[in-house]
Amino acid sequence: MVYLNQDSPYTTDPHHSKHTKMKRRNFIQKAALSTGAITMGSGLSYASTPTHPKASNKFKLKYAPHLGMFEHHAGKDPIDQLNFMADQGFTAFEDNKMRTRDVTLQEKMAQTMQKRGIEMGVFVAVFLKEGHVASGDLEKRKAFLAHCKESVEVAKRVNAKWMTVVPGNLAPKIKKGYQQAHVVETLKQASAIFEPHGLTMVLEPLNFFNHPGAFLTDSPQAYDICKAVDSPSCKILFDIYHQQIQEGNLLPNMEACWDEIAYIQMGDNPGRNEPTTGEINYWNILKFIHEKNYNGILGMEHGNSRPGKEGEQAVIDAYKSVDSFAR
């Protein structure tokens, strides 16, 4: 996943692959085999007898915690935290920082997830501290594409299928239409990198309040870009927290761009903490998602509203509550 915001930089090769359509034909087959292929590609074998039982799914949907969310219960060791998540019934996990973690730790985390029946969600492929691709700068595009290629190897190692992408900040001296064209061309070239591996970058619109100046801000814009890129490797990450602030009207907007949504993240507003702590009616939203037969991951990209073990238990209890889909 590539994270292109005011804190991230990306770039690409100046020529879009002429073989994209041929690669696209093989995408569905490869995506279906992606978990197995990625595991084999890592050169690791995870067939050893598990020391813990498989996660017993206690939820209707695949909610994905992140490291640090339960460290008062599990301690700071990532492996212990993964095992705690599985013990609570979570069957998915996401880690924005996975790309920058030590390879040995990546392999241990992948092995633990494999043993415990935890599916890997998004990681941020690139987090640029400056620069953007909306400007059309070819050097930035090349750098962006280089990070995409590196992220393929991380995805293979940890059995990931999705990578977060945010196309940086606005280029204020360039007309918006040109900026959009530059972003679309960059993402077409990035898609040509990911398609042969059955991987998907998910574009995350960011809200104006937390991310002033971001190029990608709302779901209609993300939908337009995905249609223009026209690749199974370029889809939408619909972050409910961001879009509540940015555009509201959550259910109609999710409905309108549903065919391009590949990943969902959660967080209540205000505060960006667990569901039930703010204004968002997560019972109705999750009911909508469930009735759409969504089988993907819902990333728990938020903080804990209260400190310590009590706050961590409150997060678990909140997900048990909203997972009932009714008050």
Side-chain angles (χ1 to χ4, degrees):
M1 305 163 184
V2 179
Y3 203 98
L4 303 181
N5 63 10
Q6 65 268 31
D7 298 352
S8 349
Y10 306 111
T11 29
T12 308
D13 288 311
H15 305 294
H16 179 45
S17 170
K18 295 181 180 179
H19 304 294
T20 298
K21 292 190 181 295
M22 179 181 69
K23 293 174 181 175
R24 198 171 286 150
R25 283 199 298 267
N26 296 326
F27 181 90
I28 301 300
Q29 179 183 1
K30 293 189 177 184
L33 298 172
S34 60
T35 301
I38 288 171
T39 301
M40 289 186 287
S42 68
L44 297 172
S45 173
Y46 300 144
S48 57
T49 303
T51 56
H52 294 266
K54 289 276 187 181
S56 175
N57 189 1
K58 298 175 183 176
F59 301 100
K60 298 183 182 74
L61 298 172
K62 299 177 186 176
Y63 307 112
H66 54 80
L67 293 183
M69 183 166 274
F70 302 121
E71 69 176 28
H72 288 281
H73 278 88
K76 294 187 177 297
D77 183 78
I79 305 304
D80 291 339
Q81 292 186 47
L82 284 170
N83 281 317
F84 180 82
M85 293 171 195
D87 290 343
Q88 304 311 307
F90 294 105
T91 56
F93 167 75
E94 65 177 23
D95 183 12
N96 284 344
K97 297 181 180 179
M98 182 64 85
R99 186 187 68 86
T100 61
R101 299 194 189 281
D102 182 78
V103 170
T104 300
L105 179 58
Q106 291 176 358
E107 292 172 346
K108 287 181 179 178
M109 292 174 72
Q111 184 176 12
T112 301
M113 287 187 280
Q114 184 79 6
K115 287 179 178 179
R116 298 305 311 271
I118 296 175
E119 188 174 357
M120 180 66 198
V122 292
F123 69 90
V124 173
V126 185
F127 195 91
L128 304 176
K129 293 187 179 297
E130 58 185 28
H132 42 66
V133 296
S135 66
D137 186 301
L138 292 183
E139 289 306 311
K140 290 182 173 64
R141 180 177 291 172
K142 287 178 184 178
F144 174 76
L145 294 182
H147 284 299
C148 291
K149 292 174 182 176
E150 292 171 8
S151 296
V152 169
E153 298 309 309
V154 177
K156 288 179 179 179
R157 195 175 297 124
V158 301
N159 293 344
K161 302 173 188 175
W162 305 275
M163 295 161 286
T164 305
V165 176
V166 180
N169 277 4
L170 290 164
K173 294 184 179 181
I174 300 175
K175 289 283 190 179
K176 189 71 179 288
Y178 294 127
Q179 293 184 60
Q180 181 120 334
H182 295 151
V183 170
V184 167
E185 178 56 28
T186 299
L187 296 177
K188 282 183 177 181
Q189 295 182 35
S191 294
I193 293 170
F194 293 129
E195 281 184 17
H197 305 280
L199 301 175
T200 302
M201 56 180 170
V202 284
L203 310 182
E204 181 180 12
L206 303 176
N207 76 76
F208 74 94
F209 183 78
N210 296 115
H211 301 274
F215 171 80
L216 183 59
T217 58
D218 58 37
S219 54
Q221 182 189 12
Y223 188 78
D224 187 37
I225 290 173
C226 287
K227 291 301 183 186
V229 174
D230 190 23
S231 167
S233 284
C234 183
K235 297 294 179 182
I236 296 172
L237 189 171
F238 195 100
D239 188 308
I240 296 168
Y241 164 78
H242 283 306
Q243 294 319 305
Q244 170 70 359
I245 295 173
Q246 184 67 30
E247 61 189 14
N249 203 32
L250 291 170
L251 294 182
N253 279 318
M254 292 183 80
E255 177 69 53
C257 64
W258 186 258
D259 62 309
E260 295 292 341
I261 293 175
Y263 199 95
I264 296 170
Q265 287 181 327
M266 301 173 61
D268 217 333
N269 181 64
R272 198 171 192 176
N273 290 313
E274 69 269 18
T276 75
T277 59
E279 65 188 358
I280 302 176
N281 187 336
Y282 268 106
W283 291 273
N284 280 352
I285 289 173
L286 294 176
K287 181 183 179 189
F288 168 85
I289 291 170
H290 183 64
E291 289 176 350
K292 283 287 191 181
N293 296 315
Y294 179 72
N295 194 40
I297 289 174
L298 295 102
M300 297 161 59
E301 197 183 41
H302 56 74
N304 298 2
S305 63
R306 288 182 275 169
K309 286 188 175 182
E310 179 186 354
E312 293 175 359
Q313 186 60 50
V315 170
I316 296 169
D317 292 343
Y319 277 88
K320 289 179 179 178
S321 174
V322 297
D323 191 63
S324 68
F325 305 149
R327 290 182 188 273

